[in-house]
Amino acid sequence: MLGLGSDLLWADMNRLLRLLFHEGVLDEHFLQLHHLQDESSPNFVSEVINMYFHESEKLLNNLRSLLIHTHTHDYNKMGIHLNQLIGSSSSIGAKRLTTLCLAFRAATHHSNRPGCLRALEMLEHEYCYLKNKLHELFHIEQQRALAAAARYPLHNNNQ
Amino acid sequence: MGLGLKMKIQEMQQKHHVPVALRMHDQNGTQKRKYTFIQKNRALIPLFLFVWILVMSYFSWFVFNKMDADDKVRRKEFLETQCDQRARMLQDQFSVSVNHVHALAILVSTFHYYRHPSAIDQGTFAEYTARTAFERPLLSGVAYAQRVVHSERETFEKQHGWIIKTMEREPSQLRDEYAPVIFAQETVSYLESIDMMSGKEDRENILRARATGKAVLTSPFRLLGSHHLGVVLTFPVYKSKLPLNPTLEERIKATAGYVGGSFDVESLVENLLGQLAGNQAILVNVYDVTNSSTPLIMYGSQYEKGDMSLVHESKLDFGDPYRNHTMICRYHQKAPTNWMALTTVSLVFVILLLIGYILYGAGNHIVKVEDDFQEMEELKVRAEAADVAKSQFLATVSHEIRTPMNGILGMLGLLLDTELTSTQRDYAQTAQACGKALITLINEVLDRAKIEAGKLELEAVPFDIRSILDDVLSLFSEKSRHKGLELAVFVSDKVPDIVMGDPGRFRQIITNLVGNSVKFTERGHIFVKVHLAESTKPTTNGTCETYLNGVTDEVGHISGGCNSKTLSGCEAADERNNWENFKHLIADEEFLSDSVKKVACSEAYDQVRLMVCVEDTGIGIPFSAQDRIFMPFVQADSSTSRHYGGTGIGLSISKCLVELMGGQINFISRPQVGSTFSFTANFGTYKKNLKTDVKKLNVEDLPSSFRGLRAIVVDGKPVRAAVTRYHLKRLGIQAKVANHIKKAVSLCGKNGSLASELFQPDIVFVEKDSWFSGEDGVFNIWQLDWKQNGHMLKIPQMILLATNISNGEFDKAKATGFSDTVIMKPLRSSMVAACLQQVLGMGKKKQLGKDMPNAPTFLKSLLCGKKMLVVDDNIVNRRVAAGALKKFGADVKCAESGKAALEMLQLPHNFDACFMDIQMPEMDGFEATRRIRMMESKANEQEMNGECEEGKRRKRSEHHLPILAMTADVIHATYEECLKCGMDGYVSKPFEEENLYQAVAKFFNSNHISPAS
């Protein structure tokens, strides 16, 4: 029963991943991240992703405050923040977020405030989406890990 | 994803379009400056023509006037000289006559008055005058009139017997004086007795002559006898001698009479002019201008037409100071139009006009050409820009397609790992295969774009051609076996073991050609042959011969369906690879022992030129398509792609690559018979002195344990046998060829033969075809022989060579006595070696397969235990990078800024490498690297100084920490900048294994492994 659950959860995860890949939210770097996880660092992926969300949250807040709350729009500073965001996003393979950041950066280059605002809005939306989806994914993964742990050793080998 | 692609392209365009546009702008700017003088003043060209015509017409007009004026002057001068000449002549003649009349007067005074009685009477006078008339050609006649005073009239009349008459022939009236003619020349005899004083003109004349004592002329009048105009000349005759300066009265008193003569001026002038040349052209008028207001005409008509514009007047002096005469000359006709000048000038004008027009045309032409040139330049710039844009677009798009394709392939890989039904698996596998094909295509397109942009550079590293060919063969072995094709490779012994070149590209060409051959061949064989290009020369003669007399033979072969001369027996398009020629090649090599030759080849030249032939017996290329087979994206037939797939870009890339290698590619193909592609390429020879690199080469280590073994190859097809022999030779096995089993048996020798002379094989390779064609019995007999006669030391191993073999056949072979292992074709030396090891029971199985490390394990071996520093301000990136490196066994430390990194890298440190992010706040990667390098060089210098004291420390290599840049940008310029500031390599972020492997291998391999080994 538990083994079956694990399989189902596998399928769920794959479906979710497929969806995210299909939508272009994620790219192969996300998978590579998974490759990096092994016995020595069992929680590598979730650790990195959490770090990412933590960092990104700060960056997004900074961006928002720079763009909305101050009257002197420091586009250079925004660019630096965006570069950071781009770097970390591409590292974890958040493809769509990276793309949006690129667009945002282009807008800051042109000092295009409406464009920046629009980009920020999209970015935040995308960020929320990614966060939700990845949480969902990790949730499933956790469940799967639990389920897998309960499996018979024989099955586990086959996996 | 689509959005991302678009964004990136836009970004690219923004980045690359700007410089292009700028350049265009620059070009425009310079173009304006580049306008030549003539282009700038193009509007002036018609004006120039107009001005030219004006100036030239003025000039012509000037020349014409000048010529005309010259002509007029000449005409005038001519008239003057003519006129003067005439006047002078007339004057001379006249004065001669006057002188004569003077003489006559003296004669009369001498003989009539000073003699008594008079010696002259009428008769004498008439005769004398008549006889001297030639002296006075101008005078119509002369007469002498005596002065008779009225008182003497009567006596005079009586004495002469006639009365004095007037001009009107009437008796003269009473006067003071009379001057009757007493003597007259016969021509004017009618004057006798006529009183000359009765005519008004004559009277005046007489009075004036008497007063002056000189010859006196009348004004012109109509002469009595003729109707011509004339003048009368009168001379006084004095009775007594006059004092020196006589007064008027003395003269009158002394006057005895008058001699007169009439000049017929008209006929006179007429005669005179008649004697002169050119009298027709010149019109002469003679005037008496005594009364200057009313000149009297003496000669010529008053209203003569003539040319009134040009007149010359010459003075005439007839010896009478009282009267003035002039001669006026003019031309009969007006000056003729100066045709000469006119034609000359008009010709000159026309010529100048033409010159002007030519200049005008030339100017226009120059402007046009310059304009065209400029336009072409502009177009060229645009075309170049377009080309650059195209290449960039291709590169970008290919790159952009590759990224999602990797995602697709990765996901498909994941999908295949899951539990799928067979149908799903099939679908997924198909999708993966397609994806891989697409990636290959994109790589090819990229290659092509690179070649076109001239960005492809060939490496020059040492590599082993034979092992590369074996690799390629192994790629296709599955397919060829599946199709039942013979696939074989043969490399001439003359080809050096190791050559310098680009193995990757060489492999690409071979793979492409063999791939095509495999694709298009359904039966028969594919044969790859490599030899030195020079060694084809002696065999070309053979080729010609076979071609010449091979026409009928060929038909025979085709009808026979079997031609034993090629590898598989199927007919091939190119005869060069058949046995006849192949024999030469091998025979050639037999002469010299291979070691000598290889050395000779490799030492003698810096370069070898290899000739590679890939022969197949496929469908061939239709003649109509043969000339465009190397064009990109062109396949022989549009239906081809439907049947066989592929894009047709491979051959064009191969062609480019071959040309880059300094060779040529060409092919011979006959539809339904097959094609033979052959290309030449230049490779550098490998110098032995670079020993250290050998380890790095992908040289296959062939086991040497087979050296000295002997073998017999039983094969009915000589070419195939030669290939087998080639592979055996590489393993050090000496082989002989027998075309039939019986021959092999005879080679081994029968019972009772001397063993020493015979070839004693350790192994017998039997081609499957030969085995099945020969009777089974032979084998059994042979083996029996062997066993019964204990001559041989050991029984040779029998090994079957086969392209494919069924289970039944296998069992049968085993039963016949063949060993368990069947060597499956295509033959590869390493595979043959493995099989032999199996058969001969040599336990060296593990030796092979170790050489080709796959990237992850290799990376692991490279990075294991190495201490790495990852510098990145982004915590996520840092974590990921560290994770990735840890995965390969590296010991990773992190630094979050350039400054922190600098601190950690203070010498001495124990880091083996550093991964440096480029974009960091405060101190970016470039700056940090520069500082690190500065630090190192300082340390190196110090060490160098210190080295003098402790010489031993020299051993330690200089400080140089490998620094690899990490960046998300993959623009080439960034890479260059990385190198500029002292970085060693470049890894795109996020890490990809392949990329990381390449970058890391580059320096870890050379720096850390070679000293270790």
Side-chain angles (χ1 to χ4, degrees), chain B residues 711-730:
Chain B
I712 290 180
V713 176
V714 180
D715 195 336
K717 311 256 167 61
V719 176
R720 194 163 54 183
V723 171
T724 313
R725 240 183 76 188
Y726 152 73
H727 285 292
L728 291 177
K729 207 169 173 182
R730 284 179 66 192

mmCIF file with all atom_site columns, all heavy atoms in Angstrom, chain B residues 711-730:
data_model
loop_
_atom_site.group_PDB
_atom_site.id
_atom_site.type_symbol
_atom_site.label_atom_id
_atom_site.label_alt_id
_atom_site.label_comp_id
_atom_site.label_asym_id
_atom_site.label_entity_id
_atom_site.label_seq_id
_atom_site.pdbx_PDB_ins_code
_atom_site.Cartn_x
_atom_site.Cartn_y
_atom_site.Cartn_z
_atom_site.occupancy
_atom_site.B_iso_or_equiv
_atom_site.pdbx_formal_charge
_atom_site.auth_seq_id
_atom_site.auth_comp_id
_atom_site.auth_asym_id
_atom_site.auth_atom_id
_atom_site.pdbx_PDB_model_num
ATOM 1   N N   . ALA B 1 711 ? 49.348 -16.666 -38.624 1.00 0.00 ? 711 ALA B N   1
ATOM 2   C CA  . ALA B 1 711 ? 47.948 -16.979 -38.912 1.00 0.00 ? 711 ALA B CA  1
ATOM 3   C C   . ALA B 1 711 ? 47.768 -17.169 -40.407 1.00 0.00 ? 711 ALA B C   1
ATOM 4   O O   . ALA B 1 711 ? 48.547 -16.670 -41.218 1.00 0.00 ? 711 ALA B O   1
ATOM 5   C CB  . ALA B 1 711 ? 47.037 -15.874 -38.417 1.00 0.00 ? 711 ALA B CB  1
ATOM 6   N N   . ILE B 1 712 ? 46.745 -17.910 -40.719 1.00 0.00 ? 712 ILE B N   1
ATOM 7   C CA  . ILE B 1 712 ? 46.359 -18.028 -42.127 1.00 0.00 ? 712 ILE B CA  1
ATOM 8   C C   . ILE B 1 712 ? 44.953 -17.467 -42.243 1.00 0.00 ? 712 ILE B C   1
ATOM 9   O O   . ILE B 1 712 ? 44.085 -17.749 -41.397 1.00 0.00 ? 712 ILE B O   1
ATOM 10  C CB  . ILE B 1 712 ? 46.379 -19.497 -42.591 1.00 0.00 ? 712 ILE B CB  1
ATOM 11  C CG1 . ILE B 1 712 ? 47.833 -19.968 -42.660 1.00 0.00 ? 712 ILE B CG1 1
ATOM 12  C CG2 . ILE B 1 712 ? 45.695 -19.626 -43.945 1.00 0.00 ? 712 ILE B CG2 1
ATOM 13  C CD1 . ILE B 1 712 ? 47.964 -21.395 -43.110 1.00 0.00 ? 712 ILE B CD1 1
ATOM 14  N N   . VAL B 1 713 ? 44.774 -16.657 -43.243 1.00 0.00 ? 713 VAL B N   1
ATOM 15  C CA  . VAL B 1 713 ? 43.448 -16.094 -43.474 1.00 0.00 ? 713 VAL B CA  1
ATOM 16  C C   . VAL B 1 713 ? 42.882 -16.776 -44.697 1.00 0.00 ? 713 VAL B C   1
ATOM 17  O O   . VAL B 1 713 ? 43.477 -16.722 -45.775 1.00 0.00 ? 713 VAL B O   1
ATOM 18  C CB  . VAL B 1 713 ? 43.526 -14.577 -43.699 1.00 0.00 ? 713 VAL B CB  1
ATOM 19  C CG1 . VAL B 1 713 ? 42.164 -14.025 -44.026 1.00 0.00 ? 713 VAL B CG1 1
ATOM 20  C CG2 . VAL B 1 713 ? 44.109 -13.896 -42.480 1.00 0.00 ? 713 VAL B CG2 1
ATOM 21  N N   . VAL B 1 714 ? 41.773 -17.404 -44.517 1.00 0.00 ? 714 VAL B N   1
ATOM 22  C CA  . VAL B 1 714 ? 41.150 -18.085 -45.646 1.00 0.00 ? 714 VAL B CA  1
ATOM 23  C C   . VAL B 1 714 ? 39.998 -17.226 -46.132 1.00 0.00 ? 714 VAL B C   1
ATOM 24  O O   . VAL B 1 714 ? 39.010 -17.026 -45.421 1.00 0.00 ? 714 VAL B O   1
ATOM 25  C CB  . VAL B 1 714 ? 40.635 -19.480 -45.231 1.00 0.00 ? 714 VAL B CB  1
ATOM 26  C CG1 . VAL B 1 714 ? 39.992 -20.164 -46.428 1.00 0.00 ? 714 VAL B CG1 1
ATOM 27  C CG2 . VAL B 1 714 ? 41.764 -20.303 -44.670 1.00 0.00 ? 714 VAL B CG2 1
ATOM 28  N N   . ASP B 1 715 ? 40.191 -16.693 -47.278 1.00 0.00 ? 715 ASP B N   1
ATOM 29  C CA  . ASP B 1 715 ? 39.146 -15.794 -47.794 1.00 0.00 ? 715 ASP B CA  1
ATOM 30  C C   . ASP B 1 715 ? 39.238 -15.784 -49.307 1.00 0.00 ? 715 ASP B C   1
ATOM 31  O O   . ASP B 1 715 ? 40.318 -15.626 -49.876 1.00 0.00 ? 715 ASP B O   1
ATOM 32  C CB  . ASP B 1 715 ? 39.367 -14.390 -47.232 1.00 0.00 ? 715 ASP B CB  1
ATOM 33  C CG  . ASP B 1 715 ? 38.131 -13.536 -47.424 1.00 0.00 ? 715 ASP B CG  1
ATOM 34  O OD1 . ASP B 1 715 ? 37.338 -13.833 -48.340 1.00 0.00 ? 715 ASP B OD1 1
ATOM 35  O OD2 . ASP B 1 715 ? 37.963 -12.569 -46.643 1.00 0.00 ? 715 ASP B OD2 1
ATOM 36  N N   . GLY B 1 716 ? 38.107 -15.941 -49.939 1.00 0.00 ? 716 GLY B N   1
ATOM 37  C CA  . GLY B 1 716 ? 38.087 -15.943 -51.412 1.00 0.00 ? 716 GLY B CA  1
ATOM 38  C C   . GLY B 1 716 ? 38.232 -14.552 -51.985 1.00 0.00 ? 716 GLY B C   1
ATOM 39  O O   . GLY B 1 716 ? 38.587 -14.367 -53.145 1.00 0.00 ? 716 GLY B O   1
ATOM 40  N N   . LYS B 1 717 ? 37.963 -13.551 -51.200 1.00 0.00 ? 717 LYS B N   1
ATOM 41  C CA  . LYS B 1 717 ? 38.020 -12.181 -51.714 1.00 0.00 ? 717 LYS B CA  1
ATOM 42  C C   . LYS B 1 717 ? 39.337 -11.545 -51.264 1.00 0.00 ? 717 LYS B C   1
ATOM 43  O O   . LYS B 1 717 ? 39.529 -11.306 -50.070 1.00 0.00 ? 717 LYS B O   1
ATOM 44  C CB  . LYS B 1 717 ? 36.854 -11.365 -51.152 1.00 0.00 ? 717 LYS B CB  1
ATOM 45  C CG  . LYS B 1 717 ? 35.514 -12.047 -51.281 1.00 0.00 ? 717 LYS B CG  1
ATOM 46  C CD  . LYS B 1 717 ? 34.707 -11.438 -52.405 1.00 0.00 ? 717 LYS B CD  1
ATOM 47  C CE  . LYS B 1 717 ? 33.506 -12.284 -52.786 1.00 0.00 ? 717 LYS B CE  1
ATOM 48  N NZ  . LYS B 1 717 ? 32.546 -12.488 -51.721 1.00 0.00 ? 717 LYS B NZ  1
ATOM 49  N N   . PRO B 1 718 ? 40.205 -11.287 -52.187 1.00 0.00 ? 718 PRO B N   1
ATOM 50  C CA  . PRO B 1 718 ? 41.541 -10.804 -51.809 1.00 0.00 ? 718 PRO B CA  1
ATOM 51  C C   . PRO B 1 718 ? 41.518 -9.490  -51.029 1.00 0.00 ? 718 PRO B C   1
ATOM 52  O O   . PRO B 1 718 ? 42.310 -9.309  -50.112 1.00 0.00 ? 718 PRO B O   1
ATOM 53  C CB  . PRO B 1 718 ? 42.261 -10.639 -53.148 1.00 0.00 ? 718 PRO B CB  1
ATOM 54  C CG  . PRO B 1 718 ? 41.213 -10.695 -54.202 1.00 0.00 ? 718 PRO B CG  1
ATOM 55  C CD  . PRO B 1 718 ? 40.061 -11.431 -53.639 1.00 0.00 ? 718 PRO B CD  1
ATOM 56  N N   . VAL B 1 719 ? 40.615 -8.594  -51.389 1.00 0.00 ? 719 VAL B N   1
ATOM 57  C CA  . VAL B 1 719 ? 40.598 -7.298  -50.711 1.00 0.00 ? 719 VAL B CA  1
ATOM 58  C C   . VAL B 1 719 ? 40.233 -7.486  -49.248 1.00 0.00 ? 719 VAL B C   1
ATOM 59  O O   . VAL B 1 719 ? 40.854 -6.939  -48.342 1.00 0.00 ? 719 VAL B O   1
ATOM 60  C CB  . VAL B 1 719 ? 39.605 -6.339  -51.388 1.00 0.00 ? 719 VAL B CB  1
ATOM 61  C CG1 . VAL B 1 719 ? 39.521 -5.045  -50.622 1.00 0.00 ? 719 VAL B CG1 1
ATOM 62  C CG2 . VAL B 1 719 ? 40.007 -6.086  -52.831 1.00 0.00 ? 719 VAL B CG2 1
ATOM 63  N N   . ARG B 1 720 ? 39.214 -8.313  -49.044 1.00 0.00 ? 720 ARG B N   1
ATOM 64  C CA  . ARG B 1 720 ? 38.758 -8.556  -47.685 1.00 0.00 ? 720 ARG B CA  1
ATOM 65  C C   . ARG B 1 720 ? 39.867 -9.218  -46.886 1.00 0.00 ? 720 ARG B C   1
ATOM 66  O O   . ARG B 1 720 ? 40.104 -8.915  -45.718 1.00 0.00 ? 720 ARG B O   1
ATOM 67  C CB  . ARG B 1 720 ? 37.518 -9.441  -47.735 1.00 0.00 ? 720 ARG B CB  1
ATOM 68  C CG  . ARG B 1 720 ? 36.776 -9.495  -46.445 1.00 0.00 ? 720 ARG B CG  1
ATOM 69  C CD  . ARG B 1 720 ? 35.388 -10.007 -46.657 1.00 0.00 ? 720 ARG B CD  1
ATOM 70  N NE  . ARG B 1 720 ? 35.409 -11.293 -47.356 1.00 0.00 ? 720 ARG B NE  1
ATOM 71  C CZ  . ARG B 1 720 ? 34.290 -11.924 -47.724 1.00 0.00 ? 720 ARG B CZ  1
ATOM 72  N NH1 . ARG B 1 720 ? 33.114 -11.409 -47.505 1.00 0.00 ? 720 ARG B NH1 1
ATOM 73  N NH2 . ARG B 1 720 ? 34.363 -13.080 -48.353 1.00 0.00 ? 720 ARG B NH2 1
ATOM 74  N N   . ALA B 1 721 ? 40.552 -10.131 -47.551 1.00 0.00 ? 721 ALA B N   1
ATOM 75  C CA  . ALA B 1 721 ? 41.643 -10.816 -46.884 1.00 0.00 ? 721 ALA B CA  1
ATOM 76  C C   . ALA B 1 721 ? 42.731 -9.825  -46.498 1.00 0.00 ? 721 ALA B C   1
ATOM 77  O O   . ALA B 1 721 ? 43.307 -9.904  -45.410 1.00 0.00 ? 721 ALA B O   1
ATOM 78  C CB  . ALA B 1 721 ? 42.215 -11.882 -47.802 1.00 0.00 ? 721 ALA B CB  1
ATOM 79  N N   . ALA B 1 722 ? 42.970 -8.876  -47.389 1.00 0.00 ? 722 ALA B N   1
ATOM 80  C CA  . ALA B 1 722 ? 43.993 -7.868  -47.107 1.00 0.00 ? 722 ALA B CA  1
ATOM 81  C C   . ALA B 1 722 ? 43.605 -7.041  -45.893 1.00 0.00 ? 722 ALA B C   1
ATOM 82  O O   . ALA B 1 722 ? 44.453 -6.687  -45.068 1.00 0.00 ? 722 ALA B O   1
ATOM 83  C CB  . ALA B 1 722 ? 44.185 -6.979  -48.314 1.00 0.00 ? 722 ALA B CB  1
ATOM 84  N N   . VAL B 1 723 ? 42.313 -6.744  -45.785 1.00 0.00 ? 723 VAL B N   1
ATOM 85  C CA  . VAL B 1 723 ? 41.849 -5.971  -44.632 1.00 0.00 ? 723 VAL B CA  1
ATOM 86  C C   . VAL B 1 723 ? 42.074 -6.763  -43.360 1.00 0.00 ? 723 VAL B C   1
ATOM 87  O O   . VAL B 1 723 ? 42.573 -6.252  -42.352 1.00 0.00 ? 723 VAL B O   1
ATOM 88  C CB  . VAL B 1 723 ? 40.363 -5.598  -44.798 1.00 0.00 ? 723 VAL B CB  1
ATOM 89  C CG1 . VAL B 1 723 ? 39.827 -5.002  -43.525 1.00 0.00 ? 723 VAL B CG1 1
ATOM 90  C CG2 . VAL B 1 723 ? 40.194 -4.652  -45.956 1.00 0.00 ? 723 VAL B CG2 1
ATOM 91  N N   . THR B 1 724 ? 41.730 -8.021  -43.403 1.00 0.00 ? 724 THR B N   1
ATOM 92  C CA  . THR B 1 724 ? 41.922 -8.864  -42.221 1.00 0.00 ? 724 THR B CA  1
ATOM 93  C C   . THR B 1 724 ? 43.399 -8.903  -41.856 1.00 0.00 ? 724 THR B C   1
ATOM 94  O O   . THR B 1 724 ? 43.779 -8.805  -40.686 1.00 0.00 ? 724 THR B O   1
ATOM 95  C CB  . THR B 1 724 ? 41.430 -10.287 -42.521 1.00 0.00 ? 724 THR B CB  1
ATOM 96  O OG1 . THR B 1 724 ? 40.155 -10.202 -43.129 1.00 0.00 ? 724 THR B OG1 1
ATOM 97  C CG2 . THR B 1 724 ? 41.325 -11.095 -41.253 1.00 0.00 ? 724 THR B CG2 1
ATOM 98  N N   . ARG B 1 725 ? 44.211 -9.040  -42.875 1.00 0.00 ? 725 ARG B N   1
ATOM 99  C CA  . ARG B 1 725 ? 45.642 -9.090  -42.641 1.00 0.00 ? 725 ARG B CA  1
ATOM 100 C C   . ARG B 1 725 ? 46.150 -7.806  -42.013 1.00 0.00 ? 725 ARG B C   1
ATOM 101 O O   . ARG B 1 725 ? 47.007 -7.816  -41.146 1.00 0.00 ? 725 ARG B O   1
ATOM 102 C CB  . ARG B 1 725 ? 46.363 -9.311  -43.964 1.00 0.00 ? 725 ARG B CB  1
ATOM 103 C CG  . ARG B 1 725 ? 47.165 -10.576 -43.944 1.00 0.00 ? 725 ARG B CG  1
ATOM 104 C CD  . ARG B 1 725 ? 47.907 -10.737 -45.214 1.00 0.00 ? 725 ARG B CD  1
ATOM 105 N NE  . ARG B 1 725 ? 49.058 -9.869  -45.258 1.00 0.00 ? 725 ARG B NE  1
ATOM 106 C CZ  . ARG B 1 725 ? 49.805 -9.692  -46.343 1.00 0.00 ? 725 ARG B CZ  1
ATOM 107 N NH1 . ARG B 1 725 ? 49.492 -10.292 -47.461 1.00 0.00 ? 725 ARG B NH1 1
ATOM 108 N NH2 . ARG B 1 725 ? 50.845 -8.911  -46.310 1.00 0.00 ? 725 ARG B NH2 1
ATOM 109 N N   . TYR B 1 726 ? 45.582 -6.714  -42.488 1.00 0.00 ? 726 TYR B N   1
ATOM 110 C CA  . TYR B 1 726 ? 45.977 -5.406  -41.946 1.00 0.00 ? 726 TYR B CA  1
ATOM 111 C C   . TYR B 1 726 ? 45.718 -5.341  -40.456 1.00 0.00 ? 726 TYR B C   1
ATOM 112 O O   . TYR B 1 726 ? 46.564 -4.909  -39.665 1.00 0.00 ? 726 TYR B O   1
ATOM 113 C CB  . TYR B 1 726 ? 45.230 -4.313  -42.705 1.00 0.00 ? 726 TYR B CB  1
ATOM 114 C CG  . TYR B 1 726 ? 44.967 -3.045  -41.930 1.00 0.00 ? 726 TYR B CG  1
ATOM 115 C CD1 . TYR B 1 726 ? 46.005 -2.151  -41.661 1.00 0.00 ? 726 TYR B CD1 1
ATOM 116 C CD2 . TYR B 1 726 ? 43.692 -2.737  -41.486 1.00 0.00 ? 726 TYR B CD2 1
ATOM 117 C CE1 . TYR B 1 726 ? 45.754 -0.993  -40.965 1.00 0.00 ? 726 TYR B CE1 1
ATOM 118 C CE2 . TYR B 1 726 ? 43.436 -1.585  -40.794 1.00 0.00 ? 726 TYR B CE2 1
ATOM 119 C CZ  . TYR B 1 726 ? 44.471 -0.704  -40.521 1.00 0.00 ? 726 TYR B CZ  1
ATOM 120 O OH  . TYR B 1 726 ? 44.224 0.432   -39.829 1.00 0.00 ? 726 TYR B OH  1
ATOM 121 N N   . HIS B 1 727 ? 44.553 -5.808  -40.052 1.00 0.00 ? 727 HIS B N   1
ATOM 122 C CA  . HIS B 1 727 ? 44.230 -5.756  -38.628 1.00 0.00 ? 727 HIS B CA  1
ATOM 123 C C   . HIS B 1 727 ? 45.129 -6.688  -37.831 1.00 0.00 ? 727 HIS B C   1
ATOM 124 O O   . HIS B 1 727 ? 45.571 -6.345  -36.736 1.00 0.00 ? 727 HIS B O   1
ATOM 125 C CB  . HIS B 1 727 ? 42.757 -6.105  -38.416 1.00 0.00 ? 727 HIS B CB  1
ATOM 126 C CG  . HIS B 1 727 ? 41.842 -4.991  -38.811 1.00 0.00 ? 727 HIS B CG  1
ATOM 127 N ND1 . HIS B 1 727 ? 41.783 -3.804  -38.128 1.00 0.00 ? 727 HIS B ND1 1
ATOM 128 C CD2 . HIS B 1 727 ? 40.969 -4.857  -39.840 1.00 0.00 ? 727 HIS B CD2 1
ATOM 129 C CE1 . HIS B 1 727 ? 40.924 -3.001  -38.702 1.00 0.00 ? 727 HIS B CE1 1
ATOM 130 N NE2 . HIS B 1 727 ? 40.403 -3.622  -39.753 1.00 0.00 ? 727 HIS B NE2 1
ATOM 131 N N   . LEU B 1 728 ? 45.391 -7.849  -38.405 1.00 0.00 ? 728 LEU B N   1
ATOM 132 C CA  . LEU B 1 728 ? 46.242 -8.797  -37.702 1.00 0.00 ? 728 LEU B CA  1
ATOM 133 C C   . LEU B 1 728 ? 47.652 -8.241  -37.571 1.00 0.00 ? 728 LEU B C   1
ATOM 134 O O   . LEU B 1 728 ? 48.303 -8.393  -36.546 1.00 0.00 ? 728 LEU B O   1
ATOM 135 C CB  . LEU B 1 728 ? 46.261 -10.127 -38.451 1.00 0.00 ? 728 LEU B CB  1
ATOM 136 C CG  . LEU B 1 728 ? 44.935 -10.895 -38.417 1.00 0.00 ? 728 LEU B CG  1
ATOM 137 C CD1 . LEU B 1 728 ? 45.038 -12.148 -39.251 1.00 0.00 ? 728 LEU B CD1 1
ATOM 138 C CD2 . LEU B 1 728 ? 44.547 -11.234 -36.985 1.00 0.00 ? 728 LEU B CD2 1
ATOM 139 N N   . LYS B 1 729 ? 48.058 -7.583  -38.617 1.00 0.00 ? 729 LYS B N   1
ATOM 140 C CA  . LYS B 1 729 ? 49.401 -7.029  -38.628 1.00 0.00 ? 729 LYS B CA  1
ATOM 141 C C   . LYS B 1 729 ? 49.562 -5.997  -37.522 1.00 0.00 ? 729 LYS B C   1
ATOM 142 O O   . LYS B 1 729 ? 50.607 -5.883  -36.893 1.00 0.00 ? 729 LYS B O   1
ATOM 143 C CB  . LYS B 1 729 ? 49.641 -6.371  -39.980 1.00 0.00 ? 729 LYS B CB  1
ATOM 144 C CG  . LYS B 1 729 ? 51.101 -6.342  -40.391 1.00 0.00 ? 729 LYS B CG  1
ATOM 145 C CD  . LYS B 1 729 ? 51.162 -5.926  -41.839 1.00 0.00 ? 729 LYS B CD  1
ATOM 146 C CE  . LYS B 1 729 ? 52.566 -5.693  -42.299 1.00 0.00 ? 729 LYS B CE  1
ATOM 147 N NZ  . LYS B 1 729 ? 52.549 -5.234  -43.700 1.00 0.00 ? 729 LYS B NZ  1
ATOM 148 N N   . ARG B 1 730 ? 48.496 -5.243  -37.325 1.00 0.00 ? 730 ARG B N   1
ATOM 149 C CA  . ARG B 1 730 ? 48.552 -4.239  -36.269 1.00 0.00 ? 730 ARG B CA  1
ATOM 150 C C   . ARG B 1 730 ? 48.753 -4.893  -34.901 1.00 0.00 ? 730 ARG B C   1
ATOM 151 O O   . ARG B 1 730 ? 49.280 -4.281  -33.987 1.00 0.00 ? 730 ARG B O   1
ATOM 152 C CB  . ARG B 1 730 ? 47.286 -3.404  -36.262 1.00 0.00 ? 730 ARG B CB  1
ATOM 153 C CG  . ARG B 1 730 ? 47.263 -2.382  -37.377 1.00 0.00 ? 730 ARG B CG  1
ATOM 154 C CD  . ARG B 1 730 ? 45.988 -1.602  -37.357 1.00 0.00 ? 730 ARG B CD  1
ATOM 155 N NE  . ARG B 1 730 ? 45.869 -0.766  -36.159 1.00 0.00 ? 730 ARG B NE  1
ATOM 156 C CZ  . ARG B 1 730 ? 44.751 -0.177  -35.806 1.00 0.00 ? 730 ARG B CZ  1
ATOM 157 N NH1 . ARG B 1 730 ? 43.668 -0.331  -36.545 1.00 0.00 ? 730 ARG B NH1 1
ATOM 158 N NH2 . ARG B 1 730 ? 44.698 0.573   -34.726 1.00 0.00 ? 730 ARG B NH2 1
#
